[in-house]
Amino acid sequence: MSDRDALLRSPEGGRRNRNWGPQETDQTRGLRTDQVLQVQRDIIQEQDRTLDLLGESIGRIKEIGHAIGRETDEQTVIIDDITAGVDRTNVKIRNTTRQVERVERKASTTVLWIIICVLFLALIGVVVLAFKT
């Protein structure tokens, strides 16, 4: 047994599986070095094309993200305008409600004064009739 065979043997006596260094694939098995190099170049070119496509996709996603951000900013301005309008309307409603309450109180007071005046006139009429008889 040679030194090489002894090094490559497993402790059980069989030949060790070589798991270190570059492994041959079905694609490169039986090819010369220059052919393996060409296969590797082809693989790298395919990976470059895939990375270019991925980069373009990421660029489009970035543009979409920026567009969403701009749209969000515009919507925020619109919502702020609506909120300010609602706040102004709430103030107007509160003021109008107060005015209606004041008018309501005055109206009920006016009716009471009218009733008091009518009753006072009726009392005067009763007093005048009482002295005539």
Side-chain angles (χ1 to χ4, degrees):
M1 179 182 314
S2 71
D3 290 335
R4 182 176 186 272
D5 288 338
L7 286 173
L8 296 177
R9 285 223 182 267
S10 70
E12 296 83 28
R15 195 163 166 88
R16 283 190 185 172
N17 191 4
R18 204 177 100 189
N19 288 331
W20 48 272
Q23 301 293 314
E24 252 189 90
T25 64
D26 291 336
Q27 190 178 17
T28 60
R29 191 166 287 121
L31 297 178
R32 294 185 321 266
T33 303
D34 62 327
Q35 292 171 323
V36 170
L37 187 59
Q38 185 58 45
V39 167
Q40 288 175 345
R41 285 185 187 132
D42 293 343
I43 291 171
I44 290 171
Q45 284 179 347
E46 181 60 30
Q47 288 174 345
D48 285 345
R49 281 192 293 275
T50 303
L51 286 173
D52 289 342
L53 290 173
L54 183 61
E56 290 172 7
S57 295
I58 291 171
R60 283 192 298 273
I61 291 171
K62 179 181 175 184
E63 290 172 13
I64 291 170
H66 286 301
I68 290 172
R70 286 189 300 273
E71 183 66 26
T72 302
D73 292 343
E74 291 172 9
Q75 294 294 328
T76 300
V77 169
I78 292 170
I79 289 171
D80 289 343
D81 289 345
I82 291 172
T83 302
V86 168
D87 290 343
R88 284 190 303 272
T89 302
N90 282 337
V91 168
K92 289 179 183 178
I93 288 173
R94 266 189 261 122
N95 291 338
T96 303
T97 302
R98 285 187 201 128
Q99 289 173 351
V100 167
E101 289 170 350
R102 252 185 266 134
V103 168
E104 183 181 313
R105 279 192 306 268
K106 285 181 183 179
S108 63
T109 305
T110 304
V111 170
L112 290 175
W113 280 109
I114 291 173
I115 292 173
I116 289 171
C117 288
V118 168
L119 288 175
F120 183 70
L121 289 175
L123 182 63
I124 292 176
V126 169
V127 170
V128 169
L129 285 175
F131 283 113
K132 278 189 174 179
T133 50

